[in-house]
Amino acid sequence: MTDHYKGSFFGRRVGKPLKDRQTRLIEDFLPTIAVDPTTQTPQDLKSLFGPEVEQVWLEIGFGGSEHLMHRARQNPAIGFIGVEPFQSGMAKAVASVHDEGLKNVRLYDDDATKLLDWMPAQCLDGVYQLYPDPWPKKKHWKRRFVNQVNLTRIARALKVGCQYRFASDIDTYVDWTLAHCRQHPSFEWLAERPHDWREPWDGWPGTRYERKAIREGRIGRYLSFERLRDGQTDL
């Protein structure tokens, strides 16, 4: 798939200047754990990790990496690929992987659509997208990552029966995501009762964005969608 939005789904990439150690880790260590979609697509995405990895999950926009690192520590048999274009967030993740010696994390610092297009079909066991930029102004809605084209990208890479998980504290983006996923033939919303979307998933560590939302009086919603077999994106 080559249909790319002529812009970006993320905001600024550079914030405060990095500290000297962060710069060294970005320059010297990140290349050893980075995913490079300019290389040939592997037949099995697990080959990016060691032989102990049995599944691969993707987190699109990991922010400060709290959730990504927590999941990686708790699940050494799962390989986690984290995407985050914002330099400060990437620097935090790189430092955590380096200092803790985590072997089951790989990172990518650019547009997630390029990575999804590069991945082999039916290679992911799960996808997280947590508290993404809601682009609240109507004129910016085209920059929201959730749309029919990107959902098809996720569906192509996600194994049938596995889940795409989305969290947000912005009601309009929750409604937007529900509408787009329910319109898409590859996804089915799994909620059967209010608890299923009001409470986070098992082992949830929270994120700084969630804590900020709670302080400001907003409530997070946690949506789970199952990848269906539809015949359109199974190729």
Side-chain angles (χ1 to χ4, degrees):
M1 181 177 295
T2 58
D3 186 3
H4 288 275
Y5 163 59
K6 304 304 182 182
S8 65
F9 296 106
F10 49 86
R12 61 187 181 135
R13 299 191 64 161
V14 179
K16 296 179 180 180
L18 299 180
K19 297 178 181 178
D20 290 344
R21 181 174 187 268
Q22 290 176 315
T23 299
R24 290 196 301 271
L25 288 173
I26 289 286
E27 293 176 349
D28 299 334
F29 181 66
L30 177 57
T32 70
I33 58 170
V35 181
D36 183 359
T38 66
T39 61
Q40 184 175 356
T41 299
Q43 292 185 346
D44 187 344
L45 208 59
K46 294 193 294 293
S47 65
L48 298 177
F49 305 88
E52 67 279 0
V53 166
E54 300 170 357
Q55 298 182 18
V56 179
W57 283 63
L58 172 69
E59 183 169 340
I60 299 172
F62 58 71
S65 77
E66 301 95 345
H67 177 267
L68 179 68
M69 294 303 124
H70 174 81
R71 295 291 184 187
R73 296 182 196 110
Q74 297 297 314
N75 301 278
I78 298 178
F80 290 90
I81 299 176
V83 179
E84 180 51 63
F86 188 50
Q87 187 181 62
S88 295
M90 180 58 67
K92 292 174 183 176
V94 171
S96 294
V97 174
H98 177 272
D99 295 349
E100 298 181 41
L102 296 173
K103 304 299 183 183
N104 61 331
V105 178
R106 297 293 180 267
L107 302 173
Y108 181 63
D109 64 354
D110 204 341
D111 186 343
T113 64
K114 299 176 184 178
L115 190 64
L116 286 165
D117 287 350
W118 170 82
M119 289 179 172
Q122 302 277 302
C123 65
L124 295 174
D125 297 275
V127 176
Y128 284 105
Q129 191 175 11
L130 309 175
Y131 292 90
D133 192 327
W135 296 108
K137 295 181 180 180
K138 188 173 182 178
K139 65 180 181 180
H140 293 149
W141 283 0
K142 61 183 178 292
R143 300 187 69 176
R144 288 178 170 177
F145 190 86
V146 176
N147 59 44
Q148 294 299 299
V149 173
N150 285 345
L151 287 174
T152 296
R153 285 186 161 100
I154 293 172
R156 188 192 69 85
L158 188 60
K159 295 177 182 177
V160 171
C162 292
Q163 293 183 20
Y164 164 54
R165 296 176 173 178
F166 176 94
S168 178
D169 60 302
I170 306 300
D171 290 344
T172 56
Y173 204 2
V174 172
D175 293 343
W176 169 283
T177 300
L178 273 173
H180 276 78
C181 286
R182 296 179 78 172
Q183 291 169 10
H184 199 285
S186 295
F187 293 101
E188 180 180 34
W189 189 29
L190 294 177
E192 296 180 350
R193 53 183 180 168
H195 174 83
D196 295 334
W197 49 269
R198 289 176 178 169
E199 299 294 329
W201 305 281
D202 290 343
W204 176 253
T207 73
R208 67 183 59 194
Y209 298 106
E210 180 186 53
R211 291 190 289 272
K212 177 182 178 182
I214 292 172
R215 289 196 303 269
E216 296 177 357
R218 296 188 301 277
I219 300 173
R221 301 304 186 200
Y222 308 87
L223 310 180
S224 298
F225 303 93
E226 181 178 337
R227 167 65 164 97
L228 303 176
R229 185 180 300 279
D230 57 62
Q232 295 188 25
T233 50
D234 294 343
L235 301 180

